[in-house]
Amino acid sequence: MRKFTKGNDAVVIGALYAGCDVYFGYPITPASEIAEGAAELFPQLGKEYLQAECETASINMLYGAASGGKLAMTASSGPGISLMQEGISYMAGAQLPALIVNIMRAGPGLGNIGPEQGDYNQAVKGGGHGNYHAIVLAPASVQEMCDLTIKAFELAFKYRNPAMILADATLGQVKESLKLPEKESEKPDTTTWSVQGDAKTRRNLISSIYLDLELMEKHNEMLQAKYASMEKEAMSETYLIEDAELIITGYGTSARVARSAVDQLRKEGVKAGLFRPISLMPFPTRELNRVMLGKKVLVAEMSNGQYRDDVLLHLEREVRTPVRLVNRMGGILIQVEDVLKAARRMMKEVQ
Amino acid sequence: MAISVKKATGLYEKFERKDGTKTTTYCAGCGHGIIQKLIGEAMAELGIQDRTVFVSPVGCAAFCFYYFDCGNVAGPHGRASAVATGITRSLKDKVVIAYQGDGDMGAIGFNNAFQAANRGEHFAAFCVNNSLFAMTGGQMAPTTLPGQKTTTTPFGRDVANTGFPLHMCEVFAQLEAPVYIERVSVADTKRIMQAKKAVRKALEIQRDGKGYAFVEFLSPCPTNWRMDAIKSAEFVTNEMEKVFPLGCLRDRSAEPGLQRKPIEQKTLKELMGTTGHGIDPVPDPKFGEKRFKFSGFGGQGVLSLGLVVAEAAGNDGKYVSWLPSYGPEQRGGSASCSVVMSGQPVGSPTVDRPDVLVCMNQPALEKFISTVSQGGVLIYDKSLPVKPEARGDVRVIAFPAMKIAGDNGVPKAANTAFLGCMSALGLIGLPEEQVIEALAESFSSKPALVEKNKKVFEAAKAWVTSNIK
Ligand code: SF4
């Protein structure tokens, strides 16, 4: 069945089909509709919804629920996610799965409630203290707001690691046709590690403390190996790349704008194509290189080049691949026209 | 006064997680050992070890999981109450214990603890009050006594500067929800016996699913007080008790606990409803892409006008997106939305260059008039006191939407009039039945309005036929 649905609502729908047990959250524009949706739907399904007193409480409630092996989630936006970073680090340290949704707004600080992508580094590089990563998925449509929410839960439990949906105010507000999932996901078995208050899990322990320095190093090494093992989960999408001379790349809303720009450029006779990462952690390094090496690359984003820096970092250096940036910040959506201008200039100036 | 500590059966016999020793991490004369023995005993006596999850704090008691033979979760500093909330909310009917020190619970974690108490969360909160931050080397806590020297109050705590000792029991006793609140001491055998009763009661309340229980323990910290065990015990009784009087402040354990109002349960299928169309969008390169912008004041129905167009497109198997305006415009009372309809997956859901621009007020007209795409159409309400100057390549239509809506008895339906106008001009690019069906659907909660709006739609079409060649 299809429903004409807002991105924020699609996240809640996805969570329900994923089998999410509990929602803890604190309202913030432009993510509040997720809390509102959960408040309405969760209790009717016998699931738990609680509005926490603050974001710090929400994330620690998630920590508690995840300790019990439950599928738990929260959603917030920039400033709220900042407050949650300590808890996310603890969860990564204690290897707890949970879902955190970030409907990005413009920052830094209070900023405004317009769409931005300025939280890229915070989401992808860790954000809290210590050597860790969250799994980060970046939807670009209402359908993906739902589908990637389900995928994020799946990966979080597969790797026992917090996962994040990184979207922005536009994706939260846009309404598109959503095809509902066929069926609900199966519950993961967590009895080997979770603490469920029963005989079977009585000896299990959830903790991130390693006072012994060597053990702490081992724990870190194990986490790094785990992150490396996630590479096979990397996801990306391409559009019209076969004969492309110019690759425009962006994630989330920027990728949508870039896709429109690619269509327009093709009409103008420019061989343009699109590369869109769907998972930002793990980063789709191999695909990115396959698509981009030796081409002209234009990065479109709504932040100060944070994603561009990762493109540069992950590109193999032996082959010359010129990379340029077109961006908007401050809550202003990047326009197709912005991308077109930058693309035309790049085609002219870069040989 | 030496207190012999025989291990309680709720505690591990040997501490395997701590290199298999039989000794704890606590200093001689510390209250933690006694308090944890009391908890371990009570757990074993009540037979709840297989139902219990214990949340350890940060600080000297960070390693409770070395000792307690039950499910263990180590929480972040100050967050034991929030973590315990998460556990008790997702694992029903379990016994949850949150154990915190006074610095942890009274300072950084106070709001979490206070709010959990106020909600009447189902866990036992045990707070060990030794009047300072112990593990970090004896800094001031909210509970530090007036005049007491700590490493961060080297001249003694000056209440004019750092405030008064925080009375957690008394603060919590102002709240409605807690079932049980008591302050006890572990300074001597008589007091320990009272503490034991309090621990047991708090856990019975959990066993019986009654709600929040809080026990504050006055407890010696010989190491940071730089006193021997006996002097420390005397300090608890002679100095701390003066500021923190012992006693039970609340006991409603005999009353039935609060019960949540039942909510009618549904299946996910029922919740998702049966409305919604089964058609997948069908790729149609010939259709191209149509971009609409609808603008006006909030309340004029510009957002719903866009929605009707978008729903109609979806029902017709088109790819479509609808995006309300975001940012500063939202506050000034202006509202707008973008609709992109396409024969292939929609790229940018924003419309910077509309093919069709509908303006229901003057600010919108002034703001967007220059953005209409080449060969595009601008439709604005004829009642606006302006003559818009559009480029030569834009078709401009002054349409009396508000008048038509008013004349047909639904002044609020100017948006429907615009819809009729667009449909009559062939600007939507969809079969008219789809448009009318989507219009009717949008009033599914107010069926009385369906016919009235259809009338406005027809009147708008009629106006177009007789006024536009
Ligand atoms: S420092 Fe104080 S509170 Fe900590 S274990 Fe030693 S005596 Fe107990």
Side-chain angles (χ1 to χ4, degrees), chain B residues 25-32 59-61 128 130 132 134-135 219-224:
Chain B
T25 38
Y26 304 118
C27 312
C30 174
H32 276 303
C60 291
V128 180
N130 54 25
L132 40 65
M135 195 195 213
S219 167
C221 175
T223 303
N224 285 302

Coordinates of all heavy atoms in Angstrom, one line a residue, chain B residues 25-32 59-61 128 130 132 134-135 219-224, ligand 1:
Chain B
T25 N 36.7 -3.1 46.4 CA 37.6 -1.9 46.1 C 37.4 -0.8 47.1 O 38.0 0.2 46.9 CB 37.2 -1.4 44.7 OG1 35.7 -1.4 44.6 CG2 37.8 -2.1 43.6
Y26 N 36.6 -1.0 48.1 CA 36.3 0.1 49.0 C 37.3 0.2 50.1 O 37.9 -0.8 50.6 CB 34.9 -0.1 49.6 CG 33.9 -0.2 48.5 CD1 33.1 -1.3 48.4 CD2 33.7 0.9 47.6 CE1 32.1 -1.4 47.3 CE2 32.8 0.8 46.6 CZ 32.0 -0.3 46.4 OH 31.1 -0.4 45.4
C27 N 37.6 1.4 50.6 CA 38.5 1.6 51.7 C 37.9 1.1 53.0 O 36.7 0.9 53.1 CB 38.7 3.1 51.9 SG 39.1 4.1 50.5
A28 N 38.8 0.8 53.9 CA 38.3 0.3 55.2 C 37.5 1.4 55.9 O 37.8 2.6 55.8 CB 39.5 0.0 56.1
G29 N 36.3 1.0 56.4 CA 35.5 1.9 57.1 C 34.5 2.7 56.2 O 33.8 3.5 56.7
C30 N 34.6 2.4 54.9 CA 33.7 3.0 54.0 C 32.3 2.5 54.1 O 32.1 1.3 54.3 CB 34.2 2.8 52.6 SG 33.1 3.4 51.3
G31 N 31.3 3.3 53.9 CA 29.9 2.9 54.0 C 29.4 2.1 52.8 O 28.5 1.3 52.9
H32 N 30.1 2.2 51.6 CA 29.6 1.5 50.4 C 29.5 0.0 50.7 O 28.5 -0.6 50.3 CB 30.6 1.8 49.3 CG 30.3 3.0 48.5 ND1 29.1 3.3 47.9 CD2 31.1 4.1 48.2 CE1 29.1 4.5 47.3 NE2 30.3 5.0 47.5
G59 N 32.2 6.8 39.9 CA 32.6 7.1 41.3 C 33.1 5.9 42.0 O 33.4 4.8 41.3
C60 N 33.2 5.9 43.3 CA 33.7 4.8 44.0 C 32.9 3.5 43.8 O 33.4 2.4 43.9 CB 33.8 5.1 45.5 SG 35.0 6.3 45.9
A61 N 31.6 3.7 43.5 CA 30.7 2.6 43.4 C 30.6 2.1 41.9 O 29.7 1.4 41.6 CB 29.3 2.9 43.9
V128 N 24.1 7.3 48.1 CA 25.1 7.2 49.2 C 25.7 8.6 49.4 O 26.4 9.1 48.6 CB 26.2 6.2 48.9 CG1 27.2 6.2 50.0 CG2 25.6 4.8 48.6
N130 N 28.0 10.9 51.3 CA 29.2 11.1 52.2 C 29.7 12.5 52.1 O 30.9 12.8 52.4 CB 30.3 10.0 51.8 CG 30.7 10.0 50.4 OD1 30.5 11.1 49.7 ND2 31.2 8.9 49.9
L132 N 30.7 14.5 49.9 CA 31.6 15.1 48.9 C 31.8 14.1 47.7 O 31.2 13.0 47.7 CB 33.0 15.4 49.5 CG 33.6 14.4 50.6 CD1 33.9 13.0 50.0 CD2 34.8 15.0 51.2
A134 N 33.9 11.6 46.2 CA 34.9 10.8 46.9 C 36.0 10.3 45.9 O 37.2 10.5 46.1 CB 34.3 9.6 47.6
M135 N 35.6 9.6 44.8 CA 36.6 9.0 44.0 C 37.6 9.9 43.4 O 38.7 9.6 43.2 CB 35.9 8.1 42.9 CG 36.9 7.2 42.3 SD 36.3 6.5 40.8 CE 37.0 4.9 40.8
S219 N 26.8 8.2 55.0 CA 27.8 7.2 54.9 C 29.2 7.8 55.1 O 29.5 8.8 54.5 CB 27.7 6.5 53.5 OG 28.8 5.7 53.2
P220 N 30.1 7.1 55.8 CA 31.4 7.7 56.1 C 32.3 7.5 54.9 O 32.2 6.5 54.1 CB 31.9 6.9 57.3 CG 31.1 5.6 57.3 CD 29.8 5.9 56.6
C221 N 33.2 8.5 54.7 CA 34.3 8.4 53.8 C 35.6 8.7 54.5 O 36.1 9.8 54.4 CB 34.1 9.3 52.6 SG 35.4 9.4 51.4
P222 N 36.1 7.7 55.2 CA 37.3 8.0 56.0 C 38.5 8.5 55.2 O 39.2 9.4 55.7 CB 37.7 6.6 56.6 CG 36.4 5.8 56.5 CD 35.7 6.3 55.3
T223 N 38.6 8.1 54.0 CA 39.8 8.4 53.2 C 39.8 9.9 52.9 O 40.8 10.6 53.1 CB 39.7 7.6 51.8 OG1 39.7 6.3 52.2 CG2 41.0 8.0 51.0
N224 N 38.6 10.4 52.4 CA 38.6 11.9 52.0 C 38.4 12.8 53.2 O 38.7 14.0 53.2 CB 37.6 12.1 51.0 CG 38.1 11.6 49.6 OD1 39.1 12.1 49.1 ND2 37.3 10.7 49.0
Ligands
SF4_1 S1 37.1 7.2 48.9 FE1 35.5 7.3 50.5 S2 33.7 6.7 49.5 FE2 35.4 6.0 48.2 S3 35.8 3.9 48.8 FE3 37.1 5.2 50.0 S4 36.0 5.6 51.8 FE4 34.5 4.9 50.4

